[in-house]
Amino acid sequence: MCPSRLVLEHVTSRWGVLVLAALLERSYRFSELRREVGGVSEKMLAQTLQTLERDGFVHRDAKPVIPPRVDYSLTDLGREAAEQVWALARWTERRLDAVQSARETYDERKAHAP
C-alpha cells in the first residue's frame, strides 16, 4: 500500500475526521474529547489519537500531576490537515441535497431497468 494512502486513511477515517475537527477548536483532555466527538469508544479514541500522534498531527501533553492530566492538541501539520478535511466535511454538508437527488434518480432508474 502506498504510504500516502495510509495517511489519507488516517485523516479521513470516521473518527479521524471528527477528532481533527474537534481539535481545530481547542485542546481537549481525553474524556472531554470523547464527549465532544460522541459515539466513540474509549479504545477507538485512544487508537485514533495514537495514530494521529504517530503521523505528527496530534500533540499529546502529559502533565506530571496527580491525578494524571493529558491534553491533546493539533500540531502545525495537524492543523493544516484538519482544515483540509474540515473543508471537505463542510462541502459535503452543503451539497447533501444534490447527492440525495442523484441517489434518488439512480435508484429510480435502477428500479425501472429491465
Side-chain angles (χ1 to χ4, degrees), residues 14-15 18 33-42 44-45:
R14 176 182 183 185
W15 303 119
L18 296 174
L33 186 57
R34 185 165 179 232
R35 281 191 300 274
E36 180 68 21
V37 169
V40 63
S41 69
E42 282 189 30
M44 185 54 64
L45 180 57

Side-chain angles (χ1 to χ4, degrees), residues 30-70:
F30 185 88
S31 58
E32 292 176 318
L33 186 57
R34 185 165 179 232
R35 281 191 300 274
E36 180 68 21
V37 169
V40 63
S41 69
E42 282 189 30
K43 179 181 177 182
M44 185 54 64
L45 180 57
Q47 287 176 351
T48 300
L49 286 167
Q50 187 175 36
T51 297
L52 294 173
E53 181 183 9
R54 183 171 184 253
D55 287 344
F57 300 129
V58 169
H59 174 71
R60 181 180 186 272
D61 183 20
K63 295 181 176 32
V65 295
I66 298 176
R69 180 183 172 113
V70 179

Side-chain angles (χ1 to χ4, degrees), residues 6 12 21-22 32 37 41 55 60 70 72 80 89 99 107 110:
L6 191 55
T12 61
E32 292 176 318
V37 169
S41 69
D55 287 344
R60 181 180 186 272
V70 179
Y72 295 91
E80 187 178 342
V99 171
D107 292 346
K110 282 295 205 182

